[in-house]
Each structure stands twice: as structure tokens, then as C-alpha cells.
Amino acid sequence: MSAIAQHDPRPLLVAHARSFYERGWMWGTAGNLSARLPDNSFWITASGCAKGELTPEQFVQMSLEGKLLTQTAAKPSAETSIHQAVYRLFPDATACYHVHTVSANLASRLTAAEQIRLPAIEMLKGLGIWEANPTVHLALFSNHLQVSEIGAEMLARFGQKPPQIPACLIRDHGVTVWGRSQDEAKNRIEAMEFIFQYTVAAKSIDLPLI
Ligand SMILES: [Zn+2]
């Protein structure tokens, strides 16, 4: 820990988790949110906590190498490896949000490929794409019971070729986004969810996406 007092990101993580819970994106204990501090450690939701009613005690602080820095009964989420991978890959990322939504799960079944083409709609601006009729793909990863394998695959794949947008989808599981602030990560989760809902709705009426 740095000796310099650092901003505590937990109150905003609690508020964002409650907002996602209320929209059905973090039901039960699903999903996890984290925020990185200037010393490269990060706060992340603890394992097994209901996301609609988190308290600041239901977070743990981890080093970038995965060392637990808090001395409480709270245990880190099994999905911490996903957040670690994001912070190791992307130095600009100070927040990483991972949620489980129905539309993200359905969208992940629309292709067997390692990426999914996203519709060229206005909402892509929310993910930093400012071109007319862009060709944008979202990276798709296999789900693994051992979540550390997902983190390892993210490190290997994105280490070779950075993603087009600050997001990735785990098949039959959920989406992860990252941003330069907690508010940016929240906006990006919302943009991704809009795109998933659009994609699934378009498929249901056989609307061509391109
Ligand atoms: Zn998950």
C-alpha cells in the first residue's frame, strides 16, 4: 500500500452494483466489480455477496499479482483472475465490471466463432467506435469451471492482439468491460447490454445485422 491516502472507490462500486442488480444484471451473488488504485492494487467484490445490498466490508483489496491485501473474513471472488488480466493488459483501465445478463448469454450462442460481429449502430460510440458503418467484432471466450483459465486465455489472446473495443464476452456466462473511470465502465456495461439486447431482438425477427 502506498503511504499516500488513496481515494476509496467502494461507495461508487456499491452504488453501481445496486443499479445493475435492480436491472437484473447482477441477480443473486452473480458478477463482480472492481476498481484500481494508483498503487496498482484493486478493490473487488468479495465472493458470495448479494449484489443488491453490498456494504464496503464486502470487498477485498488485491495486488496486481493476486495477493490478498485485506485481513478480513471476506474472500476474493473466484473471478478475480478476469480483473487481474484486464489490469495487467490495459494500463489505462482503472475500473473493470463483469455482469451476467440474459441477453449477453443468448448473444454468445449466435456464433461458434471466437468473436461476434456487432451491429453497426450508434451505440457503438459508447465503446469508443466513431466511424460510419464500422466493422466491429467482440472477442468471445469459452467458459471454464476454473475461472483462472479464462483469465489466462485473455492474457494470451489480448497480449498478442489487443481487442477492438474495451470489452469481451464469455460464452454462456457474461460480459466484462473496462474503463478509465468507474463511470466510464458503467456506461460501457450499459452500451454493451443495449447491443446484446438489439442483437438478440434482431435475430428473433431474422433482421440482417449488416
Ligand atoms: Zn461471472
Side-chain angles (χ1 to χ4, degrees), residues 24-97:
W25 305 349
M26 289 193 103
W27 274 351
T29 63
N32 26 76
L33 309 184
S34 73
R36 171 154 62 177
L37 302 178
D39 70 0
N40 252 341
S41 68
F42 60 95
W43 283 102
I44 184 167
T45 41
S47 181
C49 298
K51 298 303 188 300
E53 48 200 48
L54 287 173
T55 67
E57 292 69 40
Q58 292 175 322
F59 289 81
V60 293
Q61 190 178 11
M62 308 281 299
S63 75
L64 203 55
E65 295 73 36
K67 185 167 177 266
L68 185 61
L69 301 176
T70 38
Q71 317 287 324
T72 65
K75 296 280 172 279
S77 162
E79 296 183 325
T80 300
S81 71
I82 295 172
H83 298 251
Q84 258 177 283
V86 163
Y87 293 135
R88 288 173 66 176
L89 284 161
F90 310 113
D92 280 357
T94 61
C96 178
Y97 286 6

Side-chain angles (χ1 to χ4, degrees), residues 31-32 79 98 100 173:
N32 26 76
E79 296 183 325
H98 167 76
H100 301 176
H173 180 156

